[in-house]
Amino acid sequence: MGRVTSDTTATDAAAQHAPEPPGAPPVWQRRLRRFGLPARPQTDVRARLVPAFPESSGRLWAVFGVGPDAAARLMRWSGWLGPVLVALFAGVLRFWNLGSPRKVIFDETYYPKDAWSLLQYGYEGTWAKNANDALVGHPPQLLLSPEHSYVVHPPMGKWLIAVGEGLFGMNPFGWRFMVALLGTLSVLLVCRIGRRLMRSTALGCLAGGLLAVDGLHFVMSRTALLDLIVMFWVVAAFGCLLVDRDRTRARLAAALPVGHGGTSRSSEAENGGGIARPDEGVGDRLRLGWRPWRIAAGLCLGLATATKWNGLYYLAAFALMAVLWDVAARRTAGARHPFRSAVRRDAVPAFGATVVVALATYLASWSGWIATKGGYYRDWATSPEGRTGAWTWLPDWLRSLWHYQTEVYSFHTGLTTPHAYQSNPWSWLVLGRPVSYFYEDPKVGQDGCTAAEGCAREVLALGTPLLWWAACFALLYVLYRWLFKRDWRAGAIVCGVAAGYLPWFLYQERTIFLFYAVVFVPFLCLALAMMLGAIVGPPGSTERRRTIGAVGAGVLVLLIAWNFIYFYPLYTGMPIPKSAWHHRMWFDTWV
C-alpha cells in the first residue's frame, strides 16, 4: 500500500460527503458490517432487468437415450417445438368434425349471417325469418335482402368469420373455420407467453395444454360467436406487451455502466467483465425509442374492441400496466424519480401506441359501412335530425357513425330481457350456470342413437370443472404472489383476469352469460400453471421435494384431462344415452 499523503486524505474526506451511488446499501447496514453482518452479494442489474432462461441439465433427455449433442439441439428447439406440438393437439381437437352439429346453434343466428352479408354488400342486410332452416336445408338457400338491419356489435369479428365463409361456403364448417383457427392459435400464443412470463418452456406448454382441454374455450372455438375472437386479440396484445417489456428493459440494461467507479460498458472487455450498477442518468433520462411491439399491442387491442366493446376494458388496463412496467424498469435501472420519469418520457408515446392506434383501428374496421350507403344509420347525418347541432362541420359519415355508437351504447346498457341461461358474474368462476347452445333428444335409430332409452345431444358451454375450480385456488395464489411477494408476473396475470371479469359486476341487472368469461380463460390457465410450478418446487429444491411436488401436480393435470374427456360428448353434441347425460348434470343449475 502506498503512503498516505495530504492528497489521499483529502480525497477520503471528500468521499465521505459524496452522495451515495444508486443502489448503495443504507448507512445502518454498512455500520453493522463492522460487527460481522455479511454484505449481500452484488447482483448484476442487467440480470434483474432481463432474467435469463435457466439452462436445462439435459438429464431428462438422457433418460430416453438421447445423446448430449442431440439433447442440446432439442433444448434449443424446444422453445418452439413444444408450443407447436401443443397447438397441433389443440387444432386436431377443434377441427375434428367441426361442421357438427349441422345446425345454426345459439347466437350463430346472428354473426355468420351478418358476416355473409358483409361479403355481399359491405354492411349487414336483412334475412328472412326462416333463413336458419334454409341455410342447412337440402339444397341450402340464402334468403338475404339488401335492406339494412340494426346490429349492435362492431364489424371486425364478423369480417373474420366471413373469411371462412368465403373460403368454404355458407355452411357450418365455413362459418366456424376462422373461430376454430383463432382458438388453435391462441393455444400457441399462451404457450409462448407462459414460457416468456415464467422463464420455463415446460410451464408455458402446460398453460397452453390446460387451455387446449378447457371445455369453454373448446366449445367457443367450435362456435361462430364473437367472444373467442375478442379473446384471441387480447392474448395477442398481452404477448406483444411482454416482448416490448423485455426489449425495452434490455435497452436500459445495455446503457448501464459496468464495474466500479463508473466504468463504462465499452471498457467491460478490458476489465474482464463486470457487474452493471444502477445509474441515475440512465434510469431517469434514457429515451426508450421506437417500440414497434407496443404499437402492435395497440393494433390488437383495437381489433378486440372492433369485435366487441368489452375490449375497451383491456385497452385501459393493459395501457396502464405497460406504463407501470416502465416505472418499475426505470426504478431498477437507478432512477431517483421513476414515476415522474416514466410520465415524462413514456406515458405520451404509450398513449399514442395504444389508445390512438386502437382508435384508428376501430374506425378502419367500419370501412365497409363508411364506403357504402346502405348501412343502418349511414345517412342519419343528412336527415332533419342530423342537420342540427353544434358538430355539423364534421364529415357526414363521422357524425352518422357517432350517432350509431350512442344508440348501440343505449341498447347494451338497457338490455334486461330475461333469458333462461343468463347468469350473475358471481357464479362464473364456479360454473354456476353454463349455457346450452344446442339440444336434441333423438330416439333409438335416429342421428346415431343406439340406446333403447333414447339419447341426448347437447352442446354445453361449460368450462372443464376441475380446471376452473383449481383455477380459483390459483387466483388466490397469484394474488398472494402479487400483493405480498411483489411478483410482477402474478400481477400481470391478475390484470388479465380482472380486466375481463370485474367490469361485468357493473352490469348485474343486464342480461349476461357465462360464456363472456372465455376472454379471461387464458389467464386462468397461466395462473394455474404458475401454481403448479410452485407445487413442483423452485430450482434448488431437494430431489425428494421436487419428486413429491411433480407427482402431485401431475395427478391434478391428469384429472383435468380426464374431466375434459368425460364431458367431451357435451362439448360436441355427440349422441349419448339419456342416463349418461343425466350423470353429467352434476348440479341442477346445469340443466
Short mmCIF file of all heavy atoms in Angstrom, two decimals, residues 86-94 183-184 186-188 190-191 205-221 431 462-468 521-522 525 528 532 556-568 571:
data_model
loop_
_atom_site.label_atom_id
_atom_site.label_comp_id
_atom_site.label_asym_id
_atom_site.label_seq_id
_atom_site.Cartn_x
_atom_site.Cartn_y
_atom_site.Cartn_z
N VAL A 86 -48.20 -28.69 -28.88
CA VAL A 86 -49.42 -28.48 -28.08
C VAL A 86 -50.51 -27.85 -28.93
O VAL A 86 -51.69 -28.23 -28.86
CB VAL A 86 -49.11 -27.60 -26.85
CG1 VAL A 86 -50.38 -27.25 -26.09
CG2 VAL A 86 -48.13 -28.31 -25.92
N ALA A 87 -50.14 -26.86 -29.78
CA ALA A 87 -51.12 -26.21 -30.65
C ALA A 87 -51.69 -27.18 -31.68
O ALA A 87 -52.89 -27.12 -32.00
CB ALA A 87 -50.49 -25.00 -31.34
N LEU A 88 -50.85 -28.08 -32.21
CA LEU A 88 -51.35 -29.08 -33.15
C LEU A 88 -52.37 -30.00 -32.48
O LEU A 88 -53.40 -30.35 -33.07
CB LEU A 88 -50.19 -29.89 -33.72
CG LEU A 88 -49.29 -29.18 -34.74
CD1 LEU A 88 -48.11 -30.06 -35.11
CD2 LEU A 88 -50.09 -28.81 -35.99
N PHE A 89 -52.09 -30.38 -31.26
CA PHE A 89 -53.04 -31.20 -30.50
C PHE A 89 -54.36 -30.45 -30.33
O PHE A 89 -55.45 -31.00 -30.56
CB PHE A 89 -52.44 -31.55 -29.14
CG PHE A 89 -53.42 -32.08 -28.14
CD1 PHE A 89 -53.94 -33.36 -28.29
CD2 PHE A 89 -53.81 -31.32 -27.06
CE1 PHE A 89 -54.85 -33.86 -27.36
CE2 PHE A 89 -54.72 -31.80 -26.13
CZ PHE A 89 -55.24 -33.08 -26.28
N ALA A 90 -54.28 -29.17 -29.96
CA ALA A 90 -55.49 -28.35 -29.81
C ALA A 90 -56.23 -28.22 -31.13
O ALA A 90 -57.46 -28.25 -31.18
CB ALA A 90 -55.14 -26.98 -29.24
N GLY A 91 -55.49 -28.06 -32.23
CA GLY A 91 -56.12 -27.90 -33.54
C GLY A 91 -56.86 -29.15 -33.98
O GLY A 91 -57.97 -29.07 -34.54
N VAL A 92 -56.27 -30.33 -33.73
CA VAL A 92 -56.96 -31.57 -34.09
C VAL A 92 -58.27 -31.68 -33.32
O VAL A 92 -59.32 -32.03 -33.89
CB VAL A 92 -56.05 -32.78 -33.79
CG1 VAL A 92 -56.83 -34.09 -33.93
CG2 VAL A 92 -54.86 -32.79 -34.74
N LEU A 93 -58.25 -31.35 -32.04
CA LEU A 93 -59.48 -31.39 -31.25
C LEU A 93 -60.53 -30.44 -31.81
O LEU A 93 -61.71 -30.79 -31.90
CB LEU A 93 -59.18 -31.01 -29.80
CG LEU A 93 -58.46 -32.04 -28.91
CD1 LEU A 93 -58.18 -31.44 -27.55
CD2 LEU A 93 -59.30 -33.30 -28.78
N ARG A 94 -60.12 -29.25 -32.19
CA ARG A 94 -61.08 -28.23 -32.58
C ARG A 94 -61.61 -28.42 -34.00
O ARG A 94 -62.77 -28.08 -34.29
CB ARG A 94 -60.45 -26.85 -32.41
CG ARG A 94 -60.47 -26.39 -30.96
CD ARG A 94 -59.31 -25.52 -30.55
NE ARG A 94 -59.44 -25.15 -29.14
CZ ARG A 94 -59.15 -25.96 -28.13
NH1 ARG A 94 -58.72 -27.18 -28.36
NH2 ARG A 94 -59.29 -25.56 -26.87
N GLY A 183 -58.89 -20.08 -32.21
CA GLY A 183 -58.81 -20.82 -30.96
C GLY A 183 -57.55 -21.66 -30.89
O GLY A 183 -56.90 -21.75 -29.83
N THR A 184 -57.16 -22.27 -32.00
CA THR A 184 -55.93 -23.06 -32.04
C THR A 184 -54.70 -22.16 -31.87
O THR A 184 -53.79 -22.49 -31.10
CB THR A 184 -55.85 -23.82 -33.37
OG1 THR A 184 -56.99 -24.67 -33.51
CG2 THR A 184 -54.59 -24.65 -33.45
N SER A 186 -54.55 -19.34 -30.42
CA SER A 186 -54.49 -18.79 -29.07
C SER A 186 -53.78 -19.76 -28.12
O SER A 186 -53.11 -19.32 -27.18
CB SER A 186 -55.89 -18.46 -28.56
OG SER A 186 -56.66 -19.63 -28.36
N VAL A 187 -53.91 -21.06 -28.35
CA VAL A 187 -53.18 -22.04 -27.54
C VAL A 187 -51.67 -21.87 -27.77
O VAL A 187 -50.88 -21.90 -26.82
CB VAL A 187 -53.64 -23.47 -27.88
CG1 VAL A 187 -52.74 -24.51 -27.20
CG2 VAL A 187 -55.09 -23.67 -27.47
N LEU A 188 -51.27 -21.70 -29.03
CA LEU A 188 -49.85 -21.46 -29.33
C LEU A 188 -49.37 -20.19 -28.64
O LEU A 188 -48.27 -20.16 -28.05
CB LEU A 188 -49.66 -21.35 -30.84
CG LEU A 188 -48.25 -21.01 -31.34
CD1 LEU A 188 -47.27 -22.10 -30.96
CD2 LEU A 188 -48.26 -20.79 -32.85
N VAL A 190 -50.52 -18.76 -25.91
CA VAL A 190 -50.43 -18.94 -24.46
C VAL A 190 -49.18 -19.75 -24.10
O VAL A 190 -48.52 -19.46 -23.09
CB VAL A 190 -51.71 -19.60 -23.92
CG1 VAL A 190 -51.53 -20.06 -22.48
CG2 VAL A 190 -52.87 -18.61 -24.01
N CYS A 191 -48.83 -20.75 -24.90
CA CYS A 191 -47.59 -21.50 -24.66
C CYS A 191 -46.38 -20.57 -24.68
O CYS A 191 -45.52 -20.61 -23.78
CB CYS A 191 -47.42 -22.60 -25.70
SG CYS A 191 -48.55 -24.00 -25.57
N CYS A 205 -45.81 -24.56 -21.91
CA CYS A 205 -46.57 -25.61 -22.61
C CYS A 205 -47.68 -26.16 -21.72
O CYS A 205 -48.75 -26.53 -22.23
CB CYS A 205 -45.63 -26.73 -23.04
SG CYS A 205 -44.50 -26.26 -24.37
N LEU A 206 -47.45 -26.19 -20.43
CA LEU A 206 -48.50 -26.64 -19.51
C LEU A 206 -49.69 -25.68 -19.56
O LEU A 206 -50.85 -26.12 -19.62
CB LEU A 206 -47.95 -26.74 -18.09
CG LEU A 206 -48.97 -27.07 -17.00
CD1 LEU A 206 -49.63 -28.42 -17.27
CD2 LEU A 206 -48.31 -27.07 -15.63
N ALA A 207 -49.42 -24.37 -19.54
CA ALA A 207 -50.51 -23.39 -19.61
C ALA A 207 -51.29 -23.55 -20.92
O ALA A 207 -52.53 -23.53 -20.93
CB ALA A 207 -49.96 -21.97 -19.49
N GLY A 208 -50.58 -23.71 -22.03
CA GLY A 208 -51.25 -23.91 -23.30
C GLY A 208 -52.02 -25.22 -23.34
O GLY A 208 -53.13 -25.30 -23.90
N GLY A 209 -51.45 -26.29 -22.75
CA GLY A 209 -52.15 -27.56 -22.71
C GLY A 209 -53.42 -27.49 -21.89
O GLY A 209 -54.45 -28.09 -22.26
N LEU A 210 -53.39 -26.74 -20.79
CA LEU A 210 -54.60 -26.56 -19.99
C LEU A 210 -55.67 -25.83 -20.79
O LEU A 210 -56.86 -26.18 -20.74
CB LEU A 210 -54.27 -25.80 -18.71
CG LEU A 210 -53.42 -26.54 -17.68
CD1 LEU A 210 -52.98 -25.59 -16.57
CD2 LEU A 210 -54.18 -27.73 -17.09
N LEU A 211 -55.26 -24.83 -21.56
CA LEU A 211 -56.22 -24.11 -22.39
C LEU A 211 -56.80 -25.03 -23.46
O LEU A 211 -57.99 -24.94 -23.80
CB LEU A 211 -55.56 -22.89 -23.04
CG LEU A 211 -56.47 -21.95 -23.82
CD1 LEU A 211 -57.52 -21.31 -22.91
CD2 LEU A 211 -55.66 -20.86 -24.53
N ALA A 212 -55.97 -25.93 -24.00
CA ALA A 212 -56.44 -26.84 -25.04
C ALA A 212 -57.55 -27.75 -24.55
O ALA A 212 -58.42 -28.16 -25.33
CB ALA A 212 -55.27 -27.67 -25.57
N VAL A 213 -57.55 -28.09 -23.25
CA VAL A 213 -58.56 -29.01 -22.72
C VAL A 213 -59.56 -28.30 -21.82
O VAL A 213 -60.23 -28.94 -21.02
CB VAL A 213 -57.89 -30.18 -21.97
CG1 VAL A 213 -57.04 -31.02 -22.91
CG2 VAL A 213 -57.06 -29.69 -20.78
N ASP A 214 -59.67 -26.99 -21.96
CA ASP A 214 -60.74 -26.31 -21.24
C ASP A 214 -62.02 -26.38 -22.07
O ASP A 214 -62.03 -26.02 -23.25
CB ASP A 214 -60.40 -24.85 -20.97
CG ASP A 214 -61.60 -24.12 -20.37
OD1 ASP A 214 -62.02 -24.52 -19.27
OD2 ASP A 214 -62.13 -23.21 -21.02
N GLY A 215 -63.10 -26.81 -21.45
CA GLY A 215 -64.35 -27.02 -22.18
C GLY A 215 -64.94 -25.76 -22.75
O GLY A 215 -65.45 -25.75 -23.89
N LEU A 216 -64.90 -24.65 -22.00
CA LEU A 216 -65.49 -23.41 -22.51
C LEU A 216 -64.72 -22.90 -23.71
O LEU A 216 -65.31 -22.53 -24.74
CB LEU A 216 -65.53 -22.35 -21.40
CG LEU A 216 -66.17 -21.02 -21.79
CD1 LEU A 216 -67.63 -21.22 -22.20
CD2 LEU A 216 -66.07 -20.00 -20.65
N HIS A 217 -63.40 -22.88 -23.62
CA HIS A 217 -62.58 -22.45 -24.75
C HIS A 217 -62.80 -23.38 -25.94
O HIS A 217 -62.88 -22.92 -27.09
CB HIS A 217 -61.11 -22.45 -24.35
CG HIS A 217 -60.18 -21.90 -25.39
ND1 HIS A 217 -59.67 -22.67 -26.42
CD2 HIS A 217 -59.68 -20.66 -25.57
CE1 HIS A 217 -58.90 -21.94 -27.18
NE2 HIS A 217 -58.88 -20.71 -26.69
N PHE A 218 -62.93 -24.68 -25.68
CA PHE A 218 -63.13 -25.66 -26.75
C PHE A 218 -64.46 -25.41 -27.47
O PHE A 218 -64.52 -25.37 -28.70
CB PHE A 218 -63.09 -27.05 -26.15
CG PHE A 218 -63.36 -28.16 -27.13
CD1 PHE A 218 -62.41 -28.55 -28.04
CD2 PHE A 218 -64.59 -28.81 -27.13
CE1 PHE A 218 -62.65 -29.58 -28.94
CE2 PHE A 218 -64.85 -29.84 -28.02
CZ PHE A 218 -63.89 -30.22 -28.93
N VAL A 219 -65.53 -25.24 -26.72
CA VAL A 219 -66.85 -25.02 -27.32
C VAL A 219 -66.87 -23.70 -28.09
O VAL A 219 -67.39 -23.62 -29.21
CB VAL A 219 -67.94 -25.05 -26.24
CG1 VAL A 219 -69.29 -24.58 -26.81
CG2 VAL A 219 -68.09 -26.45 -25.67
N MET A 220 -66.29 -22.66 -27.49
CA MET A 220 -66.29 -21.36 -28.16
C MET A 220 -65.42 -21.38 -29.42
O MET A 220 -65.66 -20.61 -30.35
CB MET A 220 -65.80 -20.28 -27.20
CG MET A 220 -66.71 -20.07 -25.99
SD MET A 220 -68.36 -19.50 -26.43
CE MET A 220 -68.01 -17.82 -26.94
N SER A 221 -64.41 -22.26 -29.46
CA SER A 221 -63.58 -22.39 -30.65
C SER A 221 -64.31 -23.11 -31.78
O SER A 221 -63.86 -23.06 -32.93
CB SER A 221 -62.30 -23.19 -30.33
OG SER A 221 -61.50 -22.53 -29.39
N LEU A 431 -68.69 -21.99 -12.21
CA LEU A 431 -69.51 -22.58 -13.28
C LEU A 431 -70.94 -22.82 -12.83
O LEU A 431 -71.51 -23.90 -13.02
CB LEU A 431 -68.87 -23.89 -13.76
CG LEU A 431 -67.42 -23.79 -14.26
CD1 LEU A 431 -66.87 -25.18 -14.55
CD2 LEU A 431 -67.35 -22.92 -15.51
N LEU A 462 -69.58 -25.08 -21.12
CA LEU A 462 -69.20 -25.36 -19.74
C LEU A 462 -67.69 -25.52 -19.67
O LEU A 462 -67.11 -26.34 -20.40
CB LEU A 462 -69.89 -26.64 -19.27
CG LEU A 462 -69.43 -27.23 -17.93
CD1 LEU A 462 -69.91 -26.37 -16.78
CD2 LEU A 462 -69.93 -28.67 -17.77
N GLY A 463 -67.04 -24.76 -18.82
CA GLY A 463 -65.61 -24.95 -18.63
C GLY A 463 -65.33 -26.31 -18.01
O GLY A 463 -66.19 -26.88 -17.33
N THR A 464 -64.15 -26.85 -18.22
CA THR A 464 -63.77 -28.11 -17.58
C THR A 464 -63.80 -27.90 -16.07
O THR A 464 -63.00 -27.12 -15.54
CB THR A 464 -62.38 -28.56 -18.04
OG1 THR A 464 -62.37 -28.67 -19.47
CG2 THR A 464 -62.00 -29.89 -17.42
N PRO A 465 -64.73 -28.54 -15.36
CA PRO A 465 -64.95 -28.17 -13.95
C PRO A 465 -63.71 -28.22 -13.07
O PRO A 465 -63.43 -27.26 -12.33
CB PRO A 465 -66.01 -29.18 -13.49
CG PRO A 465 -66.77 -29.51 -14.74
CD PRO A 465 -65.73 -29.51 -15.83
N LEU A 466 -62.94 -29.32 -13.13
CA LEU A 466 -61.77 -29.41 -12.25
C LEU A 466 -60.75 -28.33 -12.56
O LEU A 466 -60.06 -27.83 -11.66
CB LEU A 466 -61.14 -30.80 -12.36
CG LEU A 466 -61.96 -31.96 -11.78
CD1 LEU A 466 -61.16 -33.25 -11.86
CD2 LEU A 466 -62.37 -31.68 -10.34
N LEU A 467 -60.63 -27.95 -13.83
CA LEU A 467 -59.69 -26.89 -14.21
C LEU A 467 -60.13 -25.56 -13.59
O LEU A 467 -59.32 -24.84 -12.99
CB LEU A 467 -59.61 -26.77 -15.73
CG LEU A 467 -58.51 -25.89 -16.33
CD1 LEU A 467 -58.22 -26.32 -17.76
CD2 LEU A 467 -58.87 -24.41 -16.32
N TRP A 468 -61.41 -25.24 -13.71
CA TRP A 468 -61.90 -23.96 -13.20
C TRP A 468 -61.85 -23.92 -11.68
O TRP A 468 -61.50 -22.90 -11.09
CB TRP A 468 -63.32 -23.70 -13.70
CG TRP A 468 -63.35 -23.19 -15.10
CD1 TRP A 468 -62.94 -23.85 -16.22
CD2 TRP A 468 -63.81 -21.91 -15.53
NE1 TRP A 468 -63.11 -23.06 -17.33
CE2 TRP A 468 -63.65 -21.86 -16.94
CE3 TRP A 468 -64.34 -20.80 -14.89
CZ2 TRP A 468 -64.00 -20.75 -17.69
CZ3 TRP A 468 -64.70 -19.69 -15.64
CH2 TRP A 468 -64.52 -19.67 -17.03
N VAL A 521 -60.15 -16.75 -19.80
CA VAL A 521 -59.75 -18.14 -19.55
C VAL A 521 -58.24 -18.35 -19.75
O VAL A 521 -57.61 -19.06 -18.94
CB VAL A 521 -60.56 -19.11 -20.44
CG1 VAL A 521 -59.95 -20.50 -20.45
CG2 VAL A 521 -61.99 -19.19 -19.94
N PRO A 522 -57.58 -17.78 -20.78
CA PRO A 522 -56.13 -17.98 -20.89
C PRO A 522 -55.36 -17.54 -19.66
O PRO A 522 -54.34 -18.16 -19.30
CB PRO A 522 -55.76 -17.14 -22.12
CG PRO A 522 -57.01 -17.08 -22.92
CD PRO A 522 -58.12 -17.01 -21.93
N CYS A 525 -55.56 -20.14 -16.99
CA CYS A 525 -54.63 -21.24 -17.27
C CYS A 525 -53.19 -20.84 -16.91
O CYS A 525 -52.43 -21.67 -16.40
CB CYS A 525 -54.72 -21.65 -18.74
SG CYS A 525 -56.33 -22.37 -19.18
N LEU A 528 -52.97 -21.08 -13.14
CA LEU A 528 -52.90 -22.47 -12.69
C LEU A 528 -51.52 -23.06 -12.98
O LEU A 528 -50.96 -23.80 -12.15
CB LEU A 528 -53.99 -23.28 -13.37
CG LEU A 528 -54.16 -24.74 -12.92
CD1 LEU A 528 -54.27 -24.85 -11.40
CD2 LEU A 528 -55.36 -25.37 -13.60
N LEU A 532 -48.98 -24.61 -10.26
CA LEU A 532 -48.44 -25.96 -10.41
C LEU A 532 -46.91 -25.94 -10.39
O LEU A 532 -46.28 -26.85 -9.85
CB LEU A 532 -48.95 -26.59 -11.69
CG LEU A 532 -50.44 -26.96 -11.70
CD1 LEU A 532 -50.90 -27.35 -13.10
CD2 LEU A 532 -50.72 -28.09 -10.72
N LEU A 556 -53.02 -33.82 -10.63
CA LEU A 556 -54.04 -32.81 -10.89
C LEU A 556 -54.22 -32.59 -12.38
O LEU A 556 -55.36 -32.49 -12.88
CB LEU A 556 -53.65 -31.49 -10.20
CG LEU A 556 -54.62 -30.32 -10.41
CD1 LEU A 556 -56.03 -30.68 -9.98
CD2 LEU A 556 -54.13 -29.08 -9.67
N VAL A 557 -53.12 -32.52 -13.14
CA VAL A 557 -53.23 -32.31 -14.59
C VAL A 557 -53.94 -33.49 -15.24
O VAL A 557 -54.79 -33.31 -16.13
CB VAL A 557 -51.82 -32.11 -15.19
CG1 VAL A 557 -51.89 -32.10 -16.72
CG2 VAL A 557 -51.22 -30.79 -14.70
N LEU A 558 -53.63 -34.70 -14.83
CA LEU A 558 -54.29 -35.88 -15.40
C LEU A 558 -55.78 -35.90 -15.07
O LEU A 558 -56.61 -36.28 -15.90
CB LEU A 558 -53.62 -37.16 -14.89
CG LEU A 558 -52.21 -37.43 -15.44
CD1 LEU A 558 -51.61 -38.66 -14.76
CD2 LEU A 558 -52.24 -37.62 -16.95
N LEU A 559 -56.14 -35.47 -13.87
CA LEU A 559 -57.56 -35.40 -13.51
C LEU A 559 -58.29 -34.37 -14.36
O LEU A 559 -59.45 -34.58 -14.76
CB LEU A 559 -57.70 -35.07 -12.02
CG LEU A 559 -57.36 -36.19 -11.03
CD1 LEU A 559 -57.39 -35.68 -9.60
CD2 LEU A 559 -58.32 -37.36 -11.20
N ILE A 560 -57.63 -33.25 -14.65
CA ILE A 560 -58.24 -32.23 -15.51
C ILE A 560 -58.44 -32.79 -16.91
O ILE A 560 -59.50 -32.59 -17.53
CB ILE A 560 -57.37 -30.96 -15.52
CG1 ILE A 560 -57.45 -30.25 -14.16
CG2 ILE A 560 -57.80 -30.02 -16.64
CD1 ILE A 560 -56.46 -29.12 -14.00
N ALA A 561 -57.44 -33.50 -17.44
CA ALA A 561 -57.57 -34.10 -18.77
C ALA A 561 -58.70 -35.12 -18.79
O ALA A 561 -59.50 -35.18 -19.73
CB ALA A 561 -56.24 -34.74 -19.18
N TRP A 562 -58.79 -35.97 -17.74
CA TRP A 562 -59.88 -36.93 -17.67
C TRP A 562 -61.23 -36.22 -17.62
O TRP A 562 -62.20 -36.66 -18.25
CB TRP A 562 -59.73 -37.81 -16.43
CG TRP A 562 -61.00 -38.54 -16.10
CD1 TRP A 562 -61.45 -39.71 -16.63
CD2 TRP A 562 -62.01 -38.10 -15.18
NE1 TRP A 562 -62.67 -40.03 -16.09
CE2 TRP A 562 -63.04 -39.06 -15.21
CE3 TRP A 562 -62.14 -37.00 -14.33
CZ2 TRP A 562 -64.18 -38.96 -14.42
CZ3 TRP A 562 -63.27 -36.88 -13.55
CH2 TRP A 562 -64.28 -37.85 -13.59
N ASN A 563 -61.31 -35.13 -16.87
CA ASN A 563 -62.55 -34.38 -16.75
C ASN A 563 -63.01 -33.84 -18.10
O ASN A 563 -64.21 -33.85 -18.42
CB ASN A 563 -62.34 -33.23 -15.76
CG ASN A 563 -63.63 -32.78 -15.11
OD1 ASN A 563 -63.75 -31.61 -14.72
ND2 ASN A 563 -64.60 -33.66 -14.95
N PHE A 564 -62.05 -33.38 -18.91
CA PHE A 564 -62.38 -32.91 -20.26
C PHE A 564 -62.92 -34.06 -21.11
O PHE A 564 -63.92 -33.91 -21.83
CB PHE A 564 -61.15 -32.29 -20.92
CG PHE A 564 -61.34 -31.93 -22.36
CD1 PHE A 564 -62.03 -30.78 -22.71
CD2 PHE A 564 -60.84 -32.74 -23.37
CE1 PHE A 564 -62.21 -30.44 -24.05
CE2 PHE A 564 -61.01 -32.42 -24.70
CZ PHE A 564 -61.71 -31.26 -25.04
N ILE A 565 -62.27 -35.21 -21.05
CA ILE A 565 -62.72 -36.36 -21.82
C ILE A 565 -64.13 -36.78 -21.39
O ILE A 565 -64.98 -37.13 -22.21
CB ILE A 565 -61.72 -37.53 -21.66
CG1 ILE A 565 -60.37 -37.15 -22.27
CG2 ILE A 565 -62.25 -38.81 -22.30
CD1 ILE A 565 -59.26 -38.13 -21.96
N TYR A 566 -64.38 -36.75 -20.09
CA TYR A 566 -65.68 -37.14 -19.56
C TYR A 566 -66.80 -36.26 -20.11
O TYR A 566 -67.89 -36.75 -20.43
CB TYR A 566 -65.63 -37.08 -18.03
CG TYR A 566 -66.92 -37.46 -17.34
CD1 TYR A 566 -67.34 -38.78 -17.31
CD2 TYR A 566 -67.71 -36.51 -16.70
CE1 TYR A 566 -68.52 -39.15 -16.66
CE2 TYR A 566 -68.88 -36.85 -16.06
CZ TYR A 566 -69.28 -38.17 -16.04
OH TYR A 566 -70.45 -38.53 -15.41
N PHE A 567 -66.55 -34.97 -20.21
CA PHE A 567 -67.58 -34.04 -20.68
C PHE A 567 -67.52 -33.82 -22.20
O PHE A 567 -68.34 -33.06 -22.73
CB PHE A 567 -67.45 -32.69 -19.96
CG PHE A 567 -67.98 -32.70 -18.56
CD1 PHE A 567 -67.12 -32.84 -17.48
CD2 PHE A 567 -69.34 -32.60 -18.31
CE1 PHE A 567 -67.61 -32.87 -16.19
CE2 PHE A 567 -69.84 -32.62 -17.02
CZ PHE A 567 -68.97 -32.76 -15.95
N TYR A 568 -66.58 -34.46 -22.87
CA TYR A 568 -66.41 -34.25 -24.31
C TYR A 568 -67.71 -34.43 -25.09
O TYR A 568 -68.00 -33.63 -26.00
CB TYR A 568 -65.31 -35.18 -24.84
CG TYR A 568 -65.00 -35.00 -26.30
CD1 TYR A 568 -64.15 -34.00 -26.73
CD2 TYR A 568 -65.57 -35.85 -27.26
CE1 TYR A 568 -63.85 -33.84 -28.08
CE2 TYR A 568 -65.28 -35.70 -28.61
CZ TYR A 568 -64.42 -34.69 -29.02
OH TYR A 568 -64.14 -34.53 -30.35
N TYR A 571 -69.64 -31.29 -25.13
CA TYR A 571 -69.00 -30.18 -25.84
C TYR A 571 -69.20 -30.27 -27.35
O TYR A 571 -69.08 -29.26 -28.05
CB TYR A 571 -67.50 -30.16 -25.55
CG TYR A 571 -67.14 -29.96 -24.09
CD1 TYR A 571 -66.02 -30.59 -23.54
CD2 TYR A 571 -67.90 -29.15 -23.26
CE1 TYR A 571 -65.67 -30.40 -22.21
CE2 TYR A 571 -67.56 -28.96 -21.93
CZ TYR A 571 -66.45 -29.59 -21.41
OH TYR A 571 -66.11 -29.42 -20.08
#
